[in-house]
């Protein structure tokens, strides 16, 4: 009696949970397909003799890469991308480290307001809205068609968020470490070099990779500030891969997309193994 | 090695918070000195001001014959051990101990040799390659001490040196620190809020309250004759018995009891003004059911076992609580009538302002 009762109670619950589970699986499958298909295209299309906009079993060839290597701007653009990305990364990491350390340790009235304000404005600096004034500023500074100009603008745009993230790491470093070093006679720069920076190394790695990837995928800033095709980074050069009729040159675009994506993946794997990402994003660990 | 002279030292934090209020203090060369007080009394601020981590608002600090008031922490030749030890987590024990020498630009080989020597003296030889995170609390403390010793400072400053250790280890570390200080013979100042720690380790204690020193003396002076009711309340692991009384013409009256001659008994000065007073004696200096001129009759409320002794609390007929520590096994049952008398010569009388009326 009691066993039957238990069974009769249990069955509807089990049936409902099966339906619910099926719905979740179906939703997840649809979501995975939505985001995985472009990835799949990126892997198959470059090796297809006639790449289209659909994912299909490729007609295997390496011809697309041969065509890419004949393009005069493809590989120089990758070099430019590396130049811009590394330049910005070094600038952002170094300046964010100094600024975050000071902001973490020195009491300034309205410190958090300044920080949040900067963070809010930074999305404008590298965004579309500020492109006209930024163009004018760079023009006045005589930095149009100059890659250092692009590095400056991107550094400025990325710095506030970098400072914000890094300040969290600095805040988490006990003050007694620094005071201890100070009592032994360390100067502020020695304290930063010997004690603070080694401790916040995962934070620095996070910032560096984040800056690198951001610049690597940047389009708008370089597109507006650079003229000479030999100075353009990969993201902008890809935009020029169109036939004279205005049709997208898919063999070239697909092959270049793959080449363009690989360094970022490699970088992620390397840094993750070497340092391990620790991203608190405004939340104290 | 050096003595420390503090003269009129004042520290005011922004927002007009006075942490140290015109403090004068001399710490003799080679002494083991405790700054004792409740939290917020300014003891840590005083230690940090001696270290140079806080800037003095007024007054001066001299270490040996050097005026260090305006010097940066690194120029004062002091070493500080922080409450959390502040060992650098990314450096090995060797690198931690050698860090002060690295700042002084001592060569790598010499640094390692000095670190090994200092570490060996503190029994750290087997741990030299470990990171601080792999050490126990007691080991971390010894590494922090070794690092402080490595730079051969004039003065050691220890901020709550035992508070991060568990109870058992704390007693061992207490003995260890006392022996180490005696062996090194370096002037050492430590901060604590634990009166038993201060009594056990220090050879001189300054009891602080609200940025001022309320009493300065040896542990036994402070325990036996607290200079005021604040110190009397703060010192001792069992609270001092304190009862309101009245002093008139050299006679002391507590409640409706027979007046007792306070001047002849040495409880109050001959020229003490008449008025309301506080009569105090330690439970350790009280006896149960013995004759005495000052006696408190009452009924036993509780007996608390303290191990080798028992703390007896009795309630008197005029509704005061009086406590006495008696040897184990001799405690009266709760509910029995007892008579608690202070040991002759151990009664303290404080005036209305809480100052000791010493004869």
């Amino acid at each position: 009696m009691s066993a039957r009762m238990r069974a009769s109670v249990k069955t509807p619950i089990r049936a409902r949970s099966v339906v619910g589970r099926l719905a979740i699986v179906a939703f997840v499958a649809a979501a995975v397909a939505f985001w995985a298909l472009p990835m799949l295209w990126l892997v198959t299309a470059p090796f297809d003799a006639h790449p289209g906009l659909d994912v299909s079993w490729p007609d295997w060839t390496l011809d697309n890469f041969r065509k890419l290597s004949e393009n005069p701007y493809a590989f120089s653009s990758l070099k430019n991308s590396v130049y811009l990305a590394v330049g910005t990364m070094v600038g952002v990491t170094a300046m964010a480290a100094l600024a975050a350390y000071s902001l973490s340790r020195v009491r300034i009235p309205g410190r958090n307001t300044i920080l949040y304000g900067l963070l809010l404005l930074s999305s404008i600096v590298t965004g579309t809205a500020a492109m006209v004034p930024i163009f004018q500023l760079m023009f006045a500074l005589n930095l149009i068609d100059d890659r250092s100009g692009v590095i400056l603008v991107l550094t400025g745009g990325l710095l506030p968020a970098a400072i914000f993230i890094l300040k969290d790491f600095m805040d988490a470093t006990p003050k007694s470490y620094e005071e201890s070093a100070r009592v032994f006679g360390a100067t502020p720069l020695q304290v930063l070099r010997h004690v603070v920076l080694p401790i916040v190394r995962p934070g620095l790695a996070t910032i560096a990779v984040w800056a690198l990837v951001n610049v690597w995928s940047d389009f708008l800033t370089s597109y507006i500030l650079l003229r000479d095709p030999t100075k353009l980074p990969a993201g902008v050069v890809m935009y020029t891969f169109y036939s004279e009729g205005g049709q997208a040159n898919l063999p070239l675009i697909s092959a270049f997309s793959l080449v363009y994506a690989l360094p970022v993946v490699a970088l992620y794997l390397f840094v993750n193994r070497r340092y391990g990402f620790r991203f608190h994003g405004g939340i104290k660990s | 090695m050096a003595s420390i002279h503090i003269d009129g030292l004042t520290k005011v934090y922004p927002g007009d918070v006075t942490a140290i209020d015109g403090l004068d203090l001399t710490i003799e060369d080679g002494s083991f000195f405790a700054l004792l007080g409740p939290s917020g009394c300014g003891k840590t601020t005083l230690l940090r001001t001696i270290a140079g981590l806080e800037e003095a608002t007024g007054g001066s600090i001299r270490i040996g014959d050097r005026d260090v008031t305006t010097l940066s922490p690194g120029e004062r030749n002091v070493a500080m051990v922080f409450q959390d030890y502040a060992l650098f987590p990314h450096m090995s024990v060797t690198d931690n101990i050698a860090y002060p020498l690295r700042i002084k630009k001592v060569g790598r080989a010499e640094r390692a040799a000095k670190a090994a020597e200092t570490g060996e003296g503190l029994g750290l030889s087997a741990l030299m390659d470990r990171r601080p995170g792999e050490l126990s609390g007691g080991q971390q403390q010894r590494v922090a001490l070794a690092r402080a010793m490595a730079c051969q400072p004039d003065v050691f400053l220890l901020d709550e040196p035992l508070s991060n250790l568990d109870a058992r280890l704390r007693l061992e570390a207490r003995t260890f620190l006392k022996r180490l200080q005696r062996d090194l013979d370096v002037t050492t100042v430590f901060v604590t809020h634990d009166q038993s720690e201060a009594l056990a380790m220090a050879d001189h204690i300054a009891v602080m309250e609200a940025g001022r020193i309320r009493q300065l003396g040896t542990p036994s002076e402070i325990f036996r004759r607290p200079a005021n009711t604040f110190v009397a309340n703060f010192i001792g692991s069992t609270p001092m018995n304190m009862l309101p009384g009245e002093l008139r013409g050299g006679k002391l009256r507590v409640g409706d009891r027979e007046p007792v001659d306070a001047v002849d008994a040495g409880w109050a000065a001959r020229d003490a003004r008449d008025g309301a007073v506080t009569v105090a004696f330690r439970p350790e200096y009280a006896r149960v059911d013995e004759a005495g001129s000052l006696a408190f009759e009452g009924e036993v409320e509780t007996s608390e076992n303290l191990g080798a002794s028992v703390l007896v609390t009795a309630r008197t007929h005029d509704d005061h609580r009086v406590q006495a520590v008696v040897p184990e096994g001799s405690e009266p049952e709760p509910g029995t009538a007892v008579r608690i008398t202070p040991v002759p010569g151990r009664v303290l009388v404080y005036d209305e302002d809480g100052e000791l009326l010493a004869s």
Side-chain angles (χ1 to χ4, degrees), chain A residues 111-121 164 282:
Chain A
R111 176 177 65 181
N112 286 340
T113 318
I114 295 171
L115 215 53
Y116 281 107
L118 276 177
L119 199 60
L120 203 65
L121 292 175
F164 191 76

Side-chain angles (χ1 to χ4, degrees), chain A residues 174-187 190-191 193-199, chain B residues 48 52-53 73-74 78-80 82 84 86-91 99-100 102-103 105 147 151:
Chain A
K175 258 189 168 169
S176 60
Y177 291 174
E178 291 159 51
E179 289 176 340
S180 180
R182 270 176 64 206
V183 174
F184 294 128
T187 62
Q190 278 176 321
V191 172
R193 244 182 31 232
H194 297 163
V195 180
V196 179
L197 289 185
I199 290 174
Chain B
R48 289 171 58 86
L53 293 170
V78 298
M80 184 155 168
F82 288 78
D84 60 359
L87 298 175
F88 305 134
H90 57 288
M91 294 184 192
Y99 187 72
R102 180 172 164 194
I103 295 295
K105 299 214 166 16
R147 183 172 64 175
C151 61

Side-chain angles (χ1 to χ4, degrees), chain B residues 63-202:
Chain B
I63 296 177
D65 43 18
R66 283 196 308 157
D67 186 337
V68 299
T69 318
T70 55
L71 294 186
S72 71
E75 296 169 317
R76 299 186 179 202
N77 202 21
V78 298
M80 184 155 168
V81 175
F82 288 78
Q83 192 171 357
D84 60 359
Y85 310 134
L87 298 175
F88 305 134
H90 57 288
M91 294 184 192
S92 67
V93 169
T94 301
D95 289 343
N96 262 293
I97 298 176
Y99 187 72
L101 304 172
R102 180 172 164 194
I103 295 295
K104 286 182 182 166
K105 299 214 166 16
V106 175
R108 187 178 289 274
E110 198 183 326
R111 249 160 40 200
K114 180 79 192 167
E117 184 194 322
T118 315
E120 200 190 337
L122 292 176
L124 293 167
S125 294
L127 311 170
M128 296 304 277
D129 294 327
R130 298 228 193 137
R131 295 281 169 98
E134 301 163 332
L135 303 177
S136 72
Q139 291 166 338
Q140 289 187 23
Q141 188 192 39
R142 278 184 283 150
V143 175
L145 286 167
R147 183 172 64 175
M149 283 158 60
C151 61
Q152 289 175 324
D154 291 334
V155 172
F156 277 129
L157 305 171
L158 316 177
D159 187 7
E160 299 271 5
L162 303 179
S163 67
N164 264 17
L165 303 174
D166 51 43
R168 176 89 213 162
L169 207 54
R170 205 171 288 181
L171 293 182
E172 285 173 28
R174 213 158 78 175
T175 316
F176 167 76
L177 274 179
K178 190 155 185 167
R179 198 184 61 227
L180 183 71
Q181 199 273 338
R182 183 162 335 142
D183 292 347
L184 294 173
D185 198 28
V186 175
T187 314
T188 304
V189 184
F190 74 99
V191 157
T192 180
H193 63 271
D194 183 339
Q195 51 88 27
S196 63
E197 227 171 85
L199 292 173
M201 290 204 292

